[in-house]
């Protein structure tokens, strides 16, 4: 986390930081003042994010103090996430040299993501997902289901892991185990949302609806295609701010947003079906978990830089012959992001800066290559039976 702190401070001092801290501070102050999110003010995140946002406001009233406490809070979450990643690598039986290489690469990545890694709360759900994978590697399916549910309550994306848990549960104990695992996964989400559904149902539904109906954000892979066409063929582009991001607008952008939504759903379904058609071994579970999150990120209509934080603590767990390629593609995606964010972000938005435009496309293609790498058929090592989350088909 030393690199993350140094990079975050450097961007703040440089004056180029693009941060959500003022928004978080406003939320925290309202919460500390007794206002209820969803009912008394619009709140775009799941309710599980509230503790991370309100704690710094309880410690400090000033924006500068809030910024310091929030960054410290995320540094702790990141350190826990790295420790969980290291534990997962050990439980998977990775060689010591491989573990050192992996952790060294992960330690450097905050230099590329310094503009977001400690100024967004994405390290919290990322650490929860890493913790869930460690539990799954150890065969603790039910505990992992609870942790995944906590992750969903903080940021919705861990929901893409639920079908994988369902497959493992069915293989392990049939309908009864599946029912238990689904209930344990949804319980934290229900506990988080239910009070707000009772006092502010319209605000909760509006929050969820805004996430589903967002337009084509300017850093998505579809936007990268349009930006490249703008540079190469001179097609006209327009942008506008809305839904908490800067987006491309127009018929082409709207059509690509729809196509990306369809492609995202199809890619996720293919990942889940692929896992269901093979043995539920630890290595396959880890790989398909990483592929699920990568598919969600790569084909999302919104691809903010902080989404890459979700991959940094997950993709390095993938083993086998594809492990190095997956690790380096993740690093490349982070490095390409650093070409425009945060220093050239507004040049990208307002001027469709050529370097940034091509970098957006290259980052999108890199993430698609990462997805292909994770899903490409290859022989994988069979883990020891004690490390399997569930018996493979035909075993008892």
């Amino acid at each position: 986390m030393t690199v993350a702190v140094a990079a975050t401070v450097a961007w703040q001092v440089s004056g180029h930081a693009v941060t959500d801290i003022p928004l978080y501070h406003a939320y925290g102050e309202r919460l500390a003042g007794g206002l209820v999110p969803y009912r008394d003010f619009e709140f775009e995140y799941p309710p599980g994010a509230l503790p991370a946002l309100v704690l710094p406001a309880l410690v400090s009233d000033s924006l500068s103090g809030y910024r310091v406490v929030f960054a410290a809070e995320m540094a702790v979450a990141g350190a826990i996430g790295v420790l969980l990643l290291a534990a997962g690598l050990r439980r998977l039986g990775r060689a010591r040299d491989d573990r050192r290489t992996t952790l060294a690469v992960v330690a450097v990545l905050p230099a590329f993501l310094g503009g977001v890694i400690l100024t967004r709360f994405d390290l919290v759900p990322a650490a929860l997902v890493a913790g869930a994978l460690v539990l799954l590697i150890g065969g603790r399916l039910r505990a992992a289901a609870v942790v995944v549910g906590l992750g969903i309550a903080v940021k919705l994306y861990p929901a893409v892991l639920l079908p994988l848990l369902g497959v493992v549960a069915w293989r392990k104990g049939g309908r009864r185990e599946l029912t238990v695992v689904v209930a344990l996964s949804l319980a934290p989400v229900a506990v988080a949302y239910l009070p707000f559904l009772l006092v502010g149902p319209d605000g909760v539904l509006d929050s969820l609806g805004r996430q589903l109906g967002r337009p084509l954000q300017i850093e998505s892979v579809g936007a990268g295609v349009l930006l490249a066409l703008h540079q190469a063929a001179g097609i006209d582009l327009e942008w506008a701010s809305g839904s908490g991001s800067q987006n491309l607008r127009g018929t082409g952008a709207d059509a690509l947003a729809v196509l990306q939504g369809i492609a995202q759903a199809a890619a996720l379904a293919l990942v889940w079906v692929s896992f269901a058609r093979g043995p539920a071994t630890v290595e396959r579970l880890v790989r398909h978990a990483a592929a699920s999150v990568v598919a969600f990120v790569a084909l999302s209509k919104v691809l903010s830089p902080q989404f890459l934080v979700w991959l940094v603590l997950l993709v390095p767990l993938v083993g086998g012959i594809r492990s190095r390629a997956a690790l380096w593609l993740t690093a490349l995606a982070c490095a390409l992001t650093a070409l425009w964010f945060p220093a050239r972000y507004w040049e990208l938005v307002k001027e469709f800066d050529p370097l940034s435009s091509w970098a957006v496309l290259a980052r999108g293609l890199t993430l698609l290559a990462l997805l292909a790498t994770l899903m490409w058929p290859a022989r994988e090592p069979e883990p020891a039976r004690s490390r399997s989350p569930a018996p493979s088909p035909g075993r008892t």
Side-chain angles (χ1 to χ4, degrees), residues 184-322:
L184 289 173
S185 299
L186 297 181
V189 184
V191 169
Y193 269 105
L194 184 58
F196 300 103
L197 281 170
L198 293 175
V199 300
D202 291 341
V204 173
L205 295 177
D206 181 64
S207 172
L208 295 172
R210 287 203 306 271
Q211 296 301 318
L212 294 174
R214 294 185 69 171
L216 191 70
Q217 192 247 358
I218 199 167
E219 296 166 286
S220 65
V221 65
V225 172
L226 293 177
L227 289 165
L229 289 173
H230 173 75
Q231 301 301 329
I235 69 166
D236 292 331
L237 292 179
E238 296 181 3
W239 73 276
S241 293
S243 302
S245 61
Q246 285 66 52
N247 317 295
L248 295 183
R249 56 185 295 183
T251 303
D254 292 343
L256 271 177
V258 173
L259 289 175
Q260 272 195 222
I262 295 171
Q264 184 187 54
L268 285 168
L270 287 172
V271 173
W272 299 333
V273 170
S274 171
F275 181 68
R277 294 179 65 182
T281 61
V282 165
E283 294 290 350
R284 293 190 77 250
L285 176 58
V286 169
R287 177 166 65 85
H288 283 81
S292 295
V293 177
V294 171
F296 182 84
V297 170
L299 293 168
S300 177
K301 293 183 293 182
V302 178
L303 211 175
S304 299
Q306 62 264 29
F307 290 9
L308 297 185
V309 175
W310 308 348
L311 308 183
V312 169
L313 296 178
L314 178 57
V315 173
L317 288 170
V318 174
I321 62 174
R322 70 189 89 217

Side-chain angles (χ1 to χ4, degrees), residues 284 287 320-322 373-381:
R284 293 190 77 250
R287 177 166 65 85
I321 62 174
R322 70 189 89 217
T373 298
L374 293 172
M375 294 306 298
W376 196 263
R379 185 176 180 83
E380 295 175 291

Side-chain angles (χ1 to χ4, degrees), residues 41-297:
F41 63 91
E42 290 186 354
F43 187 70
E44 63 181 286
Y45 304 112
L50 292 172
L53 303 186
V54 72
L55 178 59
L58 296 176
V59 175
S60 175
D61 293 332
S62 68
L63 177 59
S64 58
Y66 184 98
R67 180 179 287 112
V68 171
V69 176
F70 183 85
E73 186 180 44
M74 291 304 106
V76 171
I80 292 172
V82 172
L83 291 174
L84 290 168
L85 173 61
L89 292 170
R90 286 195 303 272
R91 290 192 177 190
L92 286 166
R94 303 288 186 259
R96 179 177 297 180
D97 289 345
D98 289 341
R99 295 202 307 269
R100 287 177 175 174
T101 299
T102 298
L103 293 174
V105 173
V106 170
V108 172
L109 293 184
F112 301 130
L113 299 176
V116 296
I117 198 163
L118 297 184
T119 61
R120 309 295 196 278
F121 65 89
D122 294 81
L123 276 169
V124 176
L128 287 169
V129 169
L133 265 293
V134 171
L135 290 169
L136 285 169
I137 292 166
R140 301 179 63 184
L141 175 59
R142 294 185 178 185
V146 174
V147 176
V148 168
L150 291 172
I152 298 170
V154 175
K155 198 124 185 179
L156 299 176
Y157 83 89
V160 301
L161 302 180
L162 291 181
L164 305 181
L165 297 185
V167 171
V168 175
W170 181 266
R171 298 276 178 82
K172 184 177 182 180
R175 183 178 300 175
R176 181 178 183 278
E177 186 66 15
L178 175 62
T179 302
V180 171
V181 166
V182 170
L184 289 173
S185 299
L186 297 181
V189 184
V191 169
Y193 269 105
L194 184 58
F196 300 103
L197 281 170
L198 293 175
V199 300
D202 291 341
V204 173
L205 295 177
D206 181 64
S207 172
L208 295 172
R210 287 203 306 271
Q211 296 301 318
L212 294 174
R214 294 185 69 171
L216 191 70
Q217 192 247 358
I218 199 167
E219 296 166 286
S220 65
V221 65
V225 172
L226 293 177
L227 289 165
L229 289 173
H230 173 75
Q231 301 301 329
I235 69 166
D236 292 331
L237 292 179
E238 296 181 3
W239 73 276
S241 293
S243 302
S245 61
Q246 285 66 52
N247 317 295
L248 295 183
R249 56 185 295 183
T251 303
D254 292 343
L256 271 177
V258 173
L259 289 175
Q260 272 195 222
I262 295 171
Q264 184 187 54
L268 285 168
L270 287 172
V271 173
W272 299 333
V273 170
S274 171
F275 181 68
R277 294 179 65 182
T281 61
V282 165
E283 294 290 350
R284 293 190 77 250
L285 176 58
V286 169
R287 177 166 65 85
H288 283 81
S292 295
V293 177
V294 171
F296 182 84
V297 170

